Amino acid sequence: MTTVQKIKEIEDEMATQKNKATSYHLGQLKAKLAKLRRELISPSGGGGGGGPGIGFDVARTGVASVGFVGFPSVGKSTLMSKLTGTHSEVSEIDFTTLTTVPGTLKVHGAPIQILDLPGIIEGANDGRGRGRQVARTCNLIFIVLDVLKPLGDKKIIESELEGFGIRLNKKPPAILVRKKDKGGIAITNTVPLTNIDQEEIKAVLSEYKLSNVDVTIRQPNMTADDLVDVIEGNRVYIPALYVLNKVVYLLVEIICHSRWLCMQIDAISIEELDLLYKIPHSVPVSSREWLNIDELTEKMWEALELVRVYTKPRGQSPDYSAPVVLRRGRCSVEDFCNAIHKEIAKQMKYAVVWGASAKHSRGQKVGLDHVLEDEDVVHIAKN
Ligand SMILES: Nc1nc2c(ncn2[C@@H]2O[C@H](COP(=O)(O)OP(=O)(O)OP(=O)(O)O)[C@@H](O)[C@H]2O)c(=O)[nH]1
Ligand SMILES: [K+]
Ligand SMILES: [Mg+2]
């Protein structure tokens, strides 16, 4: 039986057992599922381990990368080609794009790499999910949906990505699992446990043969899946935007062929259309009519949490043409120095910063650990 079949079998058991199974048994099933899925993420042994394989991974350029995922013919390549000017074959035939097509888009002066990814959905001719492996390495994922197709697509894509250890629009769980030599299992929770009980926690730990651990839970509403994620450790937490494509197509149809629209609305029903607009992190666009793309690039910029910093040589004005682009969370003066050259931080005596992170407008003298803000200007004074 293949890994995928074993996963399916456990998922079916969990679905049928839902109410009957003890929390201990459910905990065991969740852990078993996670261990099998690990097989898919990085298959052990020959024939497919290691990187995503030829044609899937590409040289990384730019300061951040955005992966386009979605069902065939939702308009990924149309959007990618027009956004970046790099040609990615467009056609009505499904599975047109079979290897990753990279392009670059400049947003507020920062070069962002766009990756048109093939084959991450069921039935894709790539059983090893190499497209998903590349998605794991992106800083942001665009889940492209065709509003004329059923909303179910969204759920299928989310579970394909989740099954590959990608956590969309989530933060890592505030749970600590510390192994020790002896002393058994100690569970401490600084918040009430609402979605899991001690039995389920012990079942998950036993599945991973963890009999001497301290588990500290600071996460309200923690679930067994959160605990499994922390034990598995190979999760990636990536922001995602839902790009609702062809939406103007629908509106264009409303104006031109209301009769036609009645049929199309039947395809996705008024309720689904209403649901569509309630999807958090979503942007309705038309890649073909090139509408609402500004909102899409603004939301991309926000989601990537990039910080532009301009250099200011002594006695000259700042160079606004080529920002040093850092990422929130790694945007100290030291990160700024290292982004320019690894020796600069050592040579620095102090830095002067102007902008949002400086205390006063005439500039503030700071050290390496000062945290910068978007559009700050920095002068580095050397020894
Ligand atoms: N009406 C309309 N059609 C679109 C839009 N965007 C793309 N299309 C059409 O949808 C079809 C598929 O577009 P592609 O860009 O090839 O889709 P894809 O997601 O890259 O497809 P695969 O590479 O096969 O996964 C083409 O006929 C496009 O012209 C849109 O905004 N509106
Ligand atoms: K296509
Ligand atoms: Mg394509």
Side-chain angles (χ1 to χ4, degrees):
M1 192 191 283
T2 64
T3 310
V4 176
Q5 285 162 332
K6 285 182 209 154
I7 287 176
K8 188 88 185 61
E9 201 178 64
I10 294 181
E11 282 171 344
D12 293 346
E13 187 186 346
M14 284 173 76
T16 48
Q17 294 269 351
K18 214 173 185 93
N19 314 327
K20 290 183 287 270
T22 61
S23 55
Y24 192 90
H25 186 47
L26 263 181
Q28 280 180 315
L29 291 175
K30 285 183 178 174
K32 277 197 175 90
L33 208 47
K35 290 197 289 186
L36 284 166
R37 282 186 174 145
R38 187 190 324 147
E39 268 300 295
L40 287 186
I41 296 174
S42 37
S44 47
I54 40 136
F56 276 75
D57 206 358
V58 289
R60 287 313 162 95
T61 59
V63 293
S65 59
V66 182
F68 285 15
V69 299
F71 269 71
S73 299
V74 292
K76 300 182 293 298
S77 302
T78 306
L79 183 59
M80 141 88 189
S81 305
K82 286 184 162 180
L83 267 183
T84 65
T86 303
H87 176 69
S88 180
E89 189 61 31
V90 163
S91 112
E92 259 146 31
I93 301 152
D94 285 0
F95 297 109
T96 313
T97 309
L98 295 175
T99 56
T100 303
V101 179
T104 303
L105 167 68
K106 264 217 170 176
V107 184
H108 298 311
I112 312 286
Q113 186 176 42
I114 307 289
L115 299 173
D116 184 7
L117 291 177
I120 75 120
I121 53 106
E122 290 171 331
N125 56 359
D126 157 57
R128 290 178 305 175
R130 286 170 299 178
R132 282 171 295 195
Q133 278 178 355
V134 179
R136 276 176 61 93
T137 63
C138 292
N139 304 105
L140 171 62
I141 291 178
F142 273 10
I143 296 180
V144 187
L145 296 166
D146 175 342
V147 289
L148 296 181
K149 291 188 182 159
L151 258 182
D153 293 5
K154 174 173 175 297
K155 285 232 168 317
I156 292 172
I157 294 169
E158 285 167 342
S159 64
E160 290 284 330
L161 294 172
E162 294 263 327
F164 229 65
I166 296 172
R167 296 293 172 260
L168 300 167
N169 295 323
K170 280 184 190 153
K171 296 265 179 258
I175 305 164
L176 212 58
V177 175
R178 203 172 53 77
K179 292 176 192 157
K180 52 191 183 182
D181 302 337
K182 53 185 186 320
I185 292 173
I187 300 168
T188 3
N189 45 297
T190 56
V191 287
L193 295 180
T194 48
N195 295 346
I196 190 170
D197 59 30
Q198 306 255 337
E199 277 312 291
E200 209 170 348
I201 294 175
K202 285 186 185 134
V204 172
L205 295 174
S206 79
E207 200 46 50
Y208 283 95
K209 303 196 182 12
L210 294 170
S211 44
N212 293 299
V213 279
D214 292 336
V215 179
T216 316
I217 302 159
R218 293 195 188 85
Q219 160 120 351
N221 60 44
M222 164 189 144
T223 63
D225 293 325
D226 292 327
L227 179 58
V228 165
D229 279 353
V230 170
I231 296 170
E232 284 285 339
N234 61 354
R235 300 323 188 213
V236 284
Y237 294 82
I238 305 179
L241 281 178
Y242 294 92
V243 183
L244 310 178
N245 194 31
K246 309 189 187 182
V247 73
V248 170
Y249 189 53
L250 189 64
L251 299 181
V252 166
E253 295 313 327
I254 289 176
I255 298 156
C256 312
H257 315 288
S258 53
R259 182 185 51 73
W260 179 88
L261 174 76
C262 300
M263 279 175 345
Q264 286 306 325
I265 285 284
D266 296 345
I268 61 167
S269 85
I270 289 274
E271 295 71 24
E272 271 197 328
L273 191 63
D274 188 36
L275 268 178
L276 214 55
Y277 286 96
K278 286 198 182 111
I279 297 175
H281 313 288
S282 71
V283 187
V285 298
S286 168
S287 316
R288 191 148 83 175
E289 318 302 334
W290 206 240
L291 285 163
N292 205 32
I293 303 302
D294 291 349
E295 185 193 346
L296 184 65
T297 41
E298 273 319 303
K299 288 243 170 98
M300 175 199 290
W301 177 258
E302 276 163 40
L304 285 171
E305 295 195 305
L306 297 176
V307 173
R308 288 160 292 178
V309 184
Y310 304 102
T311 50
K312 181 186 175 320
R314 180 185 297 284
Q316 293 175 41
S317 35
D319 175 4
Y320 288 109
S321 65
V324 173
V325 186
L326 306 169
R327 302 180 60 80
R328 208 162 289 292
R330 285 208 308 275
C331 54
S332 67
V333 169
E334 185 166 16
D335 295 315
F336 171 72
C337 293
N338 294 339
I340 300 170
H341 191 284
K342 61 184 182 355
E343 291 307 316
I344 296 183
K346 285 182 219 146
Q347 298 160 3
M348 184 182 110
K349 204 162 63 180
Y350 60 84
V352 182
V353 179
W354 294 265
S357 75
K359 283 201 188 95
H360 15 264
S361 56
R362 65 177 184 288
Q364 179 190 350
K365 230 177 179 180
V366 296
L368 284 172
D369 55 356
H370 177 82
V371 177
L372 297 163
E373 278 299 332
D374 191 26
E375 298 213 271
D376 275 357
V377 173
V378 177
H379 168 67
I380 302 285
K382 293 183 186 170
N383 292 321

mmCIF file of all heavy atoms in Angstrom, residues 70-79 89-98 116-117 245-247 249 285-289, ligand 1:
data_model
loop_
_atom_site.group_PDB
_atom_site.id
_atom_site.type_symbol
_atom_site.label_atom_id
_atom_site.label_comp_id
_atom_site.label_asym_id
_atom_site.label_seq_id
_atom_site.Cartn_x
_atom_site.Cartn_y
_atom_site.Cartn_z
ATOM 1 N N GLY A 70 -2.654 26.733 -8.009
ATOM 2 C CA GLY A 70 -4.079 26.715 -8.311
ATOM 3 C C GLY A 70 -4.401 25.592 -9.272
ATOM 4 O O GLY A 70 -3.502 24.949 -9.804
ATOM 5 N N PHE A 71 -5.692 25.405 -9.483
ATOM 6 C CA PHE A 71 -6.132 24.375 -10.422
ATOM 7 C C PHE A 71 -5.707 24.778 -11.837
ATOM 8 O O PHE A 71 -5.375 25.956 -12.065
ATOM 9 C CB PHE A 71 -7.659 24.245 -10.343
ATOM 10 C CG PHE A 71 -8.095 23.211 -9.336
ATOM 11 C CD1 PHE A 71 -7.943 23.464 -7.976
ATOM 12 C CD2 PHE A 71 -8.606 21.991 -9.729
ATOM 13 C CE1 PHE A 71 -8.322 22.524 -7.031
ATOM 14 C CE2 PHE A 71 -8.982 21.043 -8.798
ATOM 15 C CZ PHE A 71 -8.851 21.306 -7.441
ATOM 16 N N PRO A 72 -5.728 23.835 -12.771
ATOM 17 C CA PRO A 72 -5.400 24.188 -14.147
ATOM 18 C C PRO A 72 -6.367 25.252 -14.690
ATOM 19 O O PRO A 72 -7.531 25.299 -14.309
ATOM 20 C CB PRO A 72 -5.586 22.868 -14.907
ATOM 21 C CG PRO A 72 -5.433 21.811 -13.881
ATOM 22 C CD PRO A 72 -5.965 22.387 -12.610
ATOM 23 N N SER A 73 -5.809 26.104 -15.548
ATOM 24 C CA SER A 73 -6.611 27.083 -16.320
ATOM 25 C C SER A 73 -7.381 28.081 -15.477
ATOM 26 O O SER A 73 -8.425 28.570 -15.878
ATOM 27 C CB SER A 73 -7.553 26.330 -17.277
ATOM 28 O OG SER A 73 -6.760 25.571 -18.153
ATOM 29 N N VAL A 74 -6.875 28.380 -14.279
ATOM 30 C CA VAL A 74 -7.525 29.446 -13.479
ATOM 31 C C VAL A 74 -6.980 30.814 -13.880
ATOM 32 O O VAL A 74 -7.520 31.841 -13.499
ATOM 33 C CB VAL A 74 -7.355 29.208 -11.973
ATOM 34 C CG1 VAL A 74 -8.121 27.988 -11.511
ATOM 35 C CG2 VAL A 74 -5.881 29.109 -11.596
ATOM 36 N N GLY A 75 -5.849 30.804 -14.625
ATOM 37 C CA GLY A 75 -5.295 32.078 -15.096
ATOM 38 C C GLY A 75 -3.963 32.446 -14.469
ATOM 39 O O GLY A 75 -3.534 33.596 -14.515
ATOM 40 N N LYS A 76 -3.247 31.451 -13.908
ATOM 41 C CA LYS A 76 -1.954 31.729 -13.244
ATOM 42 C C LYS A 76 -0.963 32.338 -14.253
ATOM 43 O O LYS A 76 -0.341 33.358 -14.007
ATOM 44 C CB LYS A 76 -1.388 30.452 -12.651
ATOM 45 C CG LYS A 76 -2.278 29.799 -11.611
ATOM 46 C CD LYS A 76 -1.667 28.556 -10.995
ATOM 47 C CE LYS A 76 -1.506 27.394 -11.955
ATOM 48 N NZ LYS A 76 -2.727 26.875 -12.520
ATOM 49 N N SER A 77 -0.830 31.668 -15.407
ATOM 50 C CA SER A 77 0.189 32.128 -16.382
ATOM 51 C C SER A 77 -0.196 33.459 -17.010
ATOM 52 O O SER A 77 0.667 34.289 -17.319
ATOM 53 C CB SER A 77 0.391 31.059 -17.469
ATOM 54 O OG SER A 77 0.792 29.856 -16.844
ATOM 55 N N THR A 78 -1.506 33.677 -17.208
ATOM 56 C CA THR A 78 -1.967 34.962 -17.758
ATOM 57 C C THR A 78 -1.511 36.075 -16.814
ATOM 58 O O THR A 78 -0.899 37.065 -17.221
ATOM 59 C CB THR A 78 -3.505 34.965 -17.870
ATOM 60 O OG1 THR A 78 -3.911 33.827 -18.607
ATOM 61 C CG2 THR A 78 -4.016 36.226 -18.530
ATOM 62 N N LEU A 79 -1.790 35.866 -15.500
ATOM 63 C CA LEU A 79 -1.452 36.876 -14.491
ATOM 64 C C LEU A 79 0.060 37.064 -14.424
ATOM 65 O O LEU A 79 0.578 38.178 -14.472
ATOM 66 C CB LEU A 79 -2.006 36.454 -13.128
ATOM 67 C CG LEU A 79 -1.800 37.422 -11.976
ATOM 68 C CD1 LEU A 79 -2.431 38.782 -12.239
ATOM 69 C CD2 LEU A 79 -2.360 36.831 -10.671
ATOM 70 N N GLU A 89 3.398 30.323 -21.112
ATOM 71 C CA GLU A 89 2.380 29.871 -22.065
ATOM 72 C C GLU A 89 0.973 29.908 -21.470
ATOM 73 O O GLU A 89 0.748 29.419 -20.354
ATOM 74 C CB GLU A 89 2.733 28.422 -22.478
ATOM 75 C CG GLU A 89 1.929 27.825 -23.614
ATOM 76 C CD GLU A 89 2.100 28.615 -24.913
ATOM 77 O OE1 GLU A 89 3.191 29.170 -25.086
ATOM 78 O OE2 GLU A 89 1.127 28.717 -25.687
ATOM 79 N N VAL A 90 0.034 30.520 -22.218
ATOM 80 C CA VAL A 90 -1.374 30.593 -21.772
ATOM 81 C C VAL A 90 -2.218 29.778 -22.736
ATOM 82 O O VAL A 90 -2.018 29.845 -23.940
ATOM 83 C CB VAL A 90 -1.841 32.076 -21.800
ATOM 84 C CG1 VAL A 90 -3.363 32.189 -21.763
ATOM 85 C CG2 VAL A 90 -1.190 32.859 -20.677
ATOM 86 N N SER A 91 -3.119 28.964 -22.218
ATOM 87 C CA SER A 91 -4.048 28.294 -23.145
ATOM 88 C C SER A 91 -5.248 27.739 -22.382
ATOM 89 O O SER A 91 -5.208 27.584 -21.158
ATOM 90 C CB SER A 91 -3.319 27.143 -23.864
ATOM 91 O OG SER A 91 -3.844 25.907 -23.431
ATOM 92 N N GLU A 92 -6.287 27.423 -23.140
ATOM 93 C CA GLU A 92 -7.481 26.864 -22.491
ATOM 94 C C GLU A 92 -7.255 25.415 -22.040
ATOM 95 O O GLU A 92 -7.986 24.890 -21.236
ATOM 96 C CB GLU A 92 -8.653 26.900 -23.496
ATOM 97 C CG GLU A 92 -9.555 28.065 -23.209
ATOM 98 C CD GLU A 92 -10.171 28.657 -24.476
ATOM 99 O OE1 GLU A 92 -10.385 27.901 -25.416
ATOM 100 O OE2 GLU A 92 -10.382 29.872 -24.481
ATOM 101 N N ILE A 93 -6.209 24.810 -22.611
ATOM 102 C CA ILE A 93 -5.996 23.384 -22.290
ATOM 103 C C ILE A 93 -5.393 23.280 -20.877
ATOM 104 O O ILE A 93 -4.490 24.034 -20.524
ATOM 105 C CB ILE A 93 -5.017 22.755 -23.326
ATOM 106 C CG1 ILE A 93 -5.629 22.904 -24.722
ATOM 107 C CG2 ILE A 93 -4.733 21.293 -22.998
ATOM 108 C CD1 ILE A 93 -4.589 22.983 -25.821
ATOM 109 N N ASP A 94 -5.899 22.347 -20.091
ATOM 110 C CA ASP A 94 -5.386 22.188 -18.727
ATOM 111 C C ASP A 94 -3.951 21.677 -18.727
ATOM 112 O O ASP A 94 -3.519 21.035 -19.661
ATOM 113 C CB ASP A 94 -6.278 21.195 -17.954
ATOM 114 C CG ASP A 94 -7.590 21.855 -17.561
ATOM 115 O OD1 ASP A 94 -7.767 23.053 -17.885
ATOM 116 O OD2 ASP A 94 -8.425 21.183 -16.933
ATOM 117 N N PHE A 95 -3.261 21.986 -17.641
ATOM 118 C CA PHE A 95 -1.874 21.563 -17.464
ATOM 119 C C PHE A 95 -0.993 22.094 -18.585
ATOM 120 O O PHE A 95 -0.128 21.394 -19.108
ATOM 121 C CB PHE A 95 -1.740 20.030 -17.349
ATOM 122 C CG PHE A 95 -2.434 19.453 -16.145
ATOM 123 C CD1 PHE A 95 -3.583 18.694 -16.285
ATOM 124 C CD2 PHE A 95 -1.974 19.744 -14.862
ATOM 125 C CE1 PHE A 95 -4.259 18.201 -15.163
ATOM 126 C CE2 PHE A 95 -2.643 19.243 -13.736
ATOM 127 C CZ PHE A 95 -3.794 18.472 -13.894
ATOM 128 N N THR A 96 -1.183 23.342 -18.945
ATOM 129 C CA THR A 96 -0.294 23.977 -19.942
ATOM 130 C C THR A 96 1.098 24.152 -19.335
ATOM 131 O O THR A 96 2.101 23.814 -19.929
ATOM 132 C CB THR A 96 -0.851 25.367 -20.334
ATOM 133 O OG1 THR A 96 -2.226 25.240 -20.603
ATOM 134 C CG2 THR A 96 -0.088 25.977 -21.479
ATOM 135 N N THR A 97 1.135 24.670 -18.118
ATOM 136 C CA THR A 97 2.436 24.934 -17.475
ATOM 137 C C THR A 97 2.907 23.676 -16.748
ATOM 138 O O THR A 97 2.214 23.208 -15.843
ATOM 139 C CB THR A 97 2.299 26.090 -16.454
ATOM 140 O OG1 THR A 97 1.656 27.180 -17.100
ATOM 141 C CG2 THR A 97 3.648 26.537 -15.919
ATOM 142 N N LEU A 98 4.027 23.113 -17.195
ATOM 143 C CA LEU A 98 4.482 21.850 -16.590
ATOM 144 C C LEU A 98 5.766 22.013 -15.795
ATOM 145 O O LEU A 98 6.167 21.110 -15.086
ATOM 146 C CB LEU A 98 4.678 20.795 -17.691
ATOM 147 C CG LEU A 98 3.369 20.396 -18.406
ATOM 148 C CD1 LEU A 98 3.655 19.456 -19.556
ATOM 149 C CD2 LEU A 98 2.383 19.778 -17.418
ATOM 150 N N ASP A 116 5.498 30.843 -11.343
ATOM 151 C CA ASP A 116 4.275 30.222 -11.863
ATOM 152 C C ASP A 116 4.451 28.715 -11.681
ATOM 153 O O ASP A 116 5.197 28.082 -12.410
ATOM 154 C CB ASP A 116 4.137 30.590 -13.355
ATOM 155 C CG ASP A 116 2.845 30.067 -13.965
ATOM 156 O OD1 ASP A 116 1.998 29.538 -13.214
ATOM 157 O OD2 ASP A 116 2.696 30.169 -15.206
ATOM 158 N N LEU A 117 3.760 28.161 -10.675
ATOM 159 C CA LEU A 117 4.023 26.760 -10.296
ATOM 160 C C LEU A 117 3.007 25.824 -10.940
ATOM 161 O O LEU A 117 1.821 26.081 -10.927
ATOM 162 C CB LEU A 117 3.921 26.611 -8.767
ATOM 163 C CG LEU A 117 5.013 27.279 -7.957
ATOM 164 C CD1 LEU A 117 4.749 27.117 -6.481
ATOM 165 C CD2 LEU A 117 6.366 26.693 -8.304
ATOM 166 N N ASN A 245 -9.804 35.217 -9.606
ATOM 167 C CA ASN A 245 -9.599 35.643 -10.983
ATOM 168 C C ASN A 245 -10.867 35.480 -11.824
ATOM 169 O O ASN A 245 -11.759 34.711 -11.498
ATOM 170 C CB ASN A 245 -8.452 34.834 -11.608
ATOM 171 C CG ASN A 245 -7.979 35.462 -12.900
ATOM 172 O OD1 ASN A 245 -8.042 36.690 -13.067
ATOM 173 N ND2 ASN A 245 -7.547 34.647 -13.840
ATOM 174 N N LYS A 246 -10.910 36.191 -12.932
ATOM 175 C CA LYS A 246 -12.018 36.157 -13.913
ATOM 176 C C LYS A 246 -13.284 36.757 -13.318
ATOM 177 O O LYS A 246 -14.372 36.545 -13.809
ATOM 178 C CB LYS A 246 -12.291 34.734 -14.427
ATOM 179 C CG LYS A 246 -11.048 34.020 -14.926
ATOM 180 C CD LYS A 246 -11.381 32.716 -15.628
ATOM 181 C CE LYS A 246 -10.121 31.941 -15.970
ATOM 182 N NZ LYS A 246 -10.394 30.692 -16.690
ATOM 183 N N VAL A 247 -13.119 37.496 -12.182
ATOM 184 C CA VAL A 247 -14.337 37.986 -11.529
ATOM 185 C C VAL A 247 -15.022 39.032 -12.416
ATOM 186 O O VAL A 247 -16.226 39.080 -12.516
ATOM 187 C CB VAL A 247 -13.984 38.567 -10.136
ATOM 188 C CG1 VAL A 247 -13.280 39.884 -10.237
ATOM 189 C CG2 VAL A 247 -15.211 38.646 -9.271
ATOM 190 N N TYR A 249 -14.999 39.017 -15.489
ATOM 191 C CA TYR A 249 -15.615 38.200 -16.537
ATOM 192 C C TYR A 249 -17.086 38.005 -16.178
ATOM 193 O O TYR A 249 -17.991 38.181 -16.947
ATOM 194 C CB TYR A 249 -14.888 36.866 -16.550
ATOM 195 C CG TYR A 249 -15.233 35.967 -17.711
ATOM 196 C CD1 TYR A 249 -15.156 36.421 -19.015
ATOM 197 C CD2 TYR A 249 -15.601 34.643 -17.494
ATOM 198 C CE1 TYR A 249 -15.437 35.599 -20.074
ATOM 199 C CE2 TYR A 249 -15.879 33.803 -18.550
ATOM 200 C CZ TYR A 249 -15.794 34.279 -19.836
ATOM 201 O OH TYR A 249 -16.068 33.453 -20.873
ATOM 202 N N VAL A 285 -9.746 39.967 -9.058
ATOM 203 C CA VAL A 285 -9.048 40.628 -10.182
ATOM 204 C C VAL A 285 -9.546 40.045 -11.494
ATOM 205 O O VAL A 285 -10.263 39.051 -11.515
ATOM 206 C CB VAL A 285 -7.517 40.382 -10.127
ATOM 207 C CG1 VAL A 285 -6.891 40.954 -8.887
ATOM 208 C CG2 VAL A 285 -7.178 38.891 -10.264
ATOM 209 N N SER A 286 -9.121 40.681 -12.584
ATOM 210 C CA SER A 286 -9.244 40.041 -13.885
ATOM 211 C C SER A 286 -7.882 40.141 -14.554
ATOM 212 O O SER A 286 -7.409 41.245 -14.851
ATOM 213 C CB SER A 286 -10.296 40.735 -14.753
ATOM 214 O OG SER A 286 -10.152 40.223 -16.070
ATOM 215 N N SER A 287 -7.237 38.985 -14.751
ATOM 216 C CA SER A 287 -5.903 39.008 -15.378
ATOM 217 C C SER A 287 -6.046 39.391 -16.838
ATOM 218 O O SER A 287 -5.181 40.002 -17.416
ATOM 219 C CB SER A 287 -5.253 37.627 -15.312
ATOM 220 O OG SER A 287 -5.442 37.078 -14.061
ATOM 221 N N ARG A 288 -7.187 38.975 -17.416
ATOM 222 C CA ARG A 288 -7.326 39.239 -18.855
ATOM 223 C C ARG A 288 -7.696 40.690 -19.096
ATOM 224 O O ARG A 288 -7.167 41.366 -19.930
ATOM 225 C CB ARG A 288 -8.368 38.306 -19.463
ATOM 226 C CG ARG A 288 -8.335 38.357 -20.983
ATOM 227 C CD ARG A 288 -8.699 37.056 -21.595
ATOM 228 N NE ARG A 288 -10.136 36.895 -21.684
ATOM 229 C CZ ARG A 288 -10.680 35.837 -22.282
ATOM 230 N NH1 ARG A 288 -9.909 34.879 -22.769
ATOM 231 N NH2 ARG A 288 -11.970 35.685 -22.350
ATOM 232 N N GLU A 289 -8.668 41.219 -18.304
ATOM 233 C CA GLU A 289 -9.071 42.627 -18.482
ATOM 234 C C GLU A 289 -8.115 43.558 -17.723
ATOM 235 O O GLU A 289 -8.249 44.768 -17.787
ATOM 236 C CB GLU A 289 -10.514 42.854 -17.973
ATOM 237 C CG GLU A 289 -11.518 41.777 -18.331
ATOM 238 C CD GLU A 289 -11.628 41.562 -19.840
ATOM 239 O OE1 GLU A 289 -11.343 42.515 -20.593
ATOM 240 O OE2 GLU A 289 -11.959 40.447 -20.251
HETATM 241 N N1 LIG B 1 -12.355 35.606 -18.998
HETATM 242 C C1 LIG B 1 -11.140 35.467 -18.463
HETATM 243 N N2 LIG B 1 -10.331 34.465 -18.916
HETATM 244 C C2 LIG B 1 -9.097 34.383 -18.372
HETATM 245 C C3 LIG B 1 -8.634 35.260 -17.365
HETATM 246 N N3 LIG B 1 -7.353 34.897 -17.031
HETATM 247 C C4 LIG B 1 -7.045 33.824 -17.812
HETATM 248 N N4 LIG B 1 -8.084 33.523 -18.624
HETATM 249 C C5 LIG B 1 -8.161 32.443 -19.615
HETATM 250 O O1 LIG B 1 -8.156 31.221 -18.939
HETATM 251 C C6 LIG B 1 -7.440 30.233 -19.707
HETATM 252 C C7 LIG B 1 -6.305 29.623 -18.889
HETATM 253 O O2 LIG B 1 -5.355 30.624 -18.628
HETATM 254 P P1 LIG B 1 -3.883 30.210 -18.154
HETATM 255 O O3 LIG B 1 -3.202 31.476 -17.785
HETATM 256 O O4 LIG B 1 -3.239 29.306 -19.171
HETATM 257 O O5 LIG B 1 -4.205 29.359 -16.847
HETATM 258 P P2 LIG B 1 -3.176 28.541 -15.920
HETATM 259 O O6 LIG B 1 -3.711 28.571 -14.542
HETATM 260 O O7 LIG B 1 -1.794 29.035 -16.114
HETATM 261 O O8 LIG B 1 -3.309 27.070 -16.526
HETATM 262 P P3 LIG B 1 -2.327 25.812 -16.323
HETATM 263 O O9 LIG B 1 -0.932 26.253 -16.710
HETATM 264 O O10 LIG B 1 -2.873 24.810 -17.277
HETATM 265 O O11 LIG B 1 -2.410 25.385 -14.875
HETATM 266 C C8 LIG B 1 -6.903 30.964 -20.950
HETATM 267 O O12 LIG B 1 -7.782 30.760 -22.042
HETATM 268 C C9 LIG B 1 -6.939 32.418 -20.517
HETATM 269 O O13 LIG B 1 -7.117 33.300 -21.609
HETATM 270 C C10 LIG B 1 -9.537 36.300 -16.903
HETATM 271 O O14 LIG B 1 -9.220 37.133 -16.047
HETATM 272 N N5 LIG B 1 -10.765 36.353 -17.495
#
